[in-house]
Amino acid sequence: MRMIFALVLLVGIALAGGAVYLAKGQIGQYKSAIARAEAAKQKIIPTKTIYVAARALKYGEKLEKKDVRAVDFPVTAIPDGSFENEVSLFPENSEERRVVLRPIEKNEPLLAVKVTLPGEEAGLTSRLERGMRAFAIRVDVSSGVSGFLRPGDKVDVYWTGRVGGGQNSSDVTKLIDTGIQLIAVDQRAGEMDGAMIARTVTVAVSPNQVAALAQAQTTGRLALSLVGVGDDTVAGAIEVNQRDLLGITDEVKAPVAAAKKVCTIRTRRGSEVVSLPIPCTN
């Protein structure tokens, strides 16, 4: 009887020990899971709701509610001018809609600078920054980069004309302005499909630049040179005339040797007058 009691006791102790061991393991796993969850929570980036484009939007399109959607965006990366609620995009009790001013890709945040105010049209005036003016430049297939100019591109402007007067006049090509932004090609202020030979391009410039370009366009011919995307180099003063281009130099005349000065005196010998050389004193 005692043997059975001892055996039952040993089995009970063994089962209790196993239960304690299993419980300890479960508790350890639970604590590890809690620690991992806390660590993950520390790494979570705080977000805020903003509105992005639900599809690709082109210049001139009216913005509708179906074209936007709300997403959680990292607070530290929210760009200035974002819309954080639908009411700010679409005013209540109003049918007036905003118009897209610049191409917006799908999932790109909507910004105030890329859309008009509710009910405002997407004209050129909405693309001009404070203090800037729109000025049209006449172009053709050669001066307009073969039709590859697009609104938003930047160009350098070269002037070709005649300077000087009379025999000193010459044809000159000179860089007169750099990094000017195009805001329209012909009457298109938005994206264009394929190359198009334009007759005019409209640029955004300061009033002083307007005066300079108007004078240059009146007195000569303007040509545009397309600037590459991301090119922030500043071109220096560039001027090429016809003589430099063709390597023409002025002929230098050989100096004429001065004639040796001879001094003489005349004396009379009888009826004959004789010239006698003497050293020159001056």
Side-chain angles (χ1 to χ4, degrees):
M1 191 70 180
R2 291 183 179 179
M3 291 289 294
I4 295 174
F5 178 76
L7 182 60
V8 171
L9 181 61
L10 290 175
V11 171
I13 293 173
L15 290 175
V20 171
Y21 178 78
L22 291 175
K24 185 177 181 181
Q26 290 294 330
I27 293 173
Q29 292 179 3
Y30 179 71
K31 289 183 177 179
S32 297
I34 293 176
R36 287 195 298 269
E38 290 295 330
K41 187 183 295 185
Q42 295 296 327
K43 293 182 179 179
I44 292 177
I45 299 175
T47 60
K48 196 172 186 179
T49 300
I50 66 170
Y51 280 78
V52 301
R55 64 178 180 87
L57 302 172
K58 295 183 179 180
Y59 170 83
E61 287 191 77
K62 285 191 175 181
L63 192 65
E64 302 291 345
K65 292 183 179 181
K66 63 181 180 180
D67 299 326
V68 304
R69 66 186 185 92
V71 298
D72 293 331
F73 209 83
V75 172
T76 56
I78 294 179
D80 294 335
S82 299
F83 295 93
E84 299 178 359
N85 54 71
E86 189 176 279
V87 176
S88 61
L89 265 175
F90 307 102
E92 294 180 340
N93 303 322
S94 176
E95 295 298 325
E96 294 183 338
R97 292 289 181 260
R98 298 176 184 268
V99 180
V100 178
L101 291 176
R102 305 177 190 175
I104 303 175
E105 297 300 325
K106 183 178 180 180
N107 296 324
E108 182 180 345
L110 292 169
L111 304 179
V113 296
K114 293 190 175 184
V115 293
T116 66
L117 295 174
E120 186 180 26
E121 295 296 328
L124 284 184
T125 54
S126 61
R127 308 197 73 176
L128 289 173
E129 297 180 2
R130 181 179 176 86
M132 303 299 282
R133 304 291 186 268
F135 181 79
I137 299 176
R138 295 187 299 271
V139 295
D140 54 29
V141 65
S142 58
S143 62
V145 198
S146 299
F148 288 100
L149 296 176
R150 297 288 182 275
D153 289 343
K154 290 186 178 181
V155 295
D156 294 339
V157 182
Y158 290 82
W159 175 84
T160 299
R162 182 169 289 271
V163 296
Q167 295 181 348
N168 294 325
S169 65
S170 62
D171 291 330
V172 173
T173 296
K174 183 176 182 179
L175 176 64
I176 61 172
D177 223 325
T178 62
I180 293 180
Q181 185 176 21
L182 303 182
I183 57 176
V185 176
D186 276 346
Q187 294 182 345
R188 299 171 182 264
E191 291 296 307
M192 301 183 302
D193 296 328
M196 182 186 71
I197 306 302
R199 291 177 296 178
T200 59
V201 297
T202 304
V203 296
V205 289
S206 67
N208 285 338
Q209 289 174 302
V210 169
L213 290 172
Q215 178 66 22
Q217 191 162 236
T218 302
T219 57
R221 181 173 179 271
L222 297 181
L224 307 181
S225 175
L226 185 61
V227 179
V229 176
D231 187 350
D232 58 355
T233 58
V234 179
I238 299 175
E239 181 175 332
V240 178
N241 59 43
Q242 191 178 47
R243 301 179 68 86
D244 293 337
L245 180 64
L246 300 177
I248 300 174
T249 57
D250 295 329
E251 294 183 0
V252 180
K253 295 182 178 180
V256 179
K260 187 176 181 180
K261 189 175 182 179
V262 178
C263 299
T264 61
I265 60 173
R266 295 182 177 184
T267 60
R268 181 180 294 277
R269 293 180 180 178
S271 61
E272 182 181 2
V273 177
V274 180
S275 296
L276 299 176
I278 62 172
C280 296
T281 58
N282 53 19

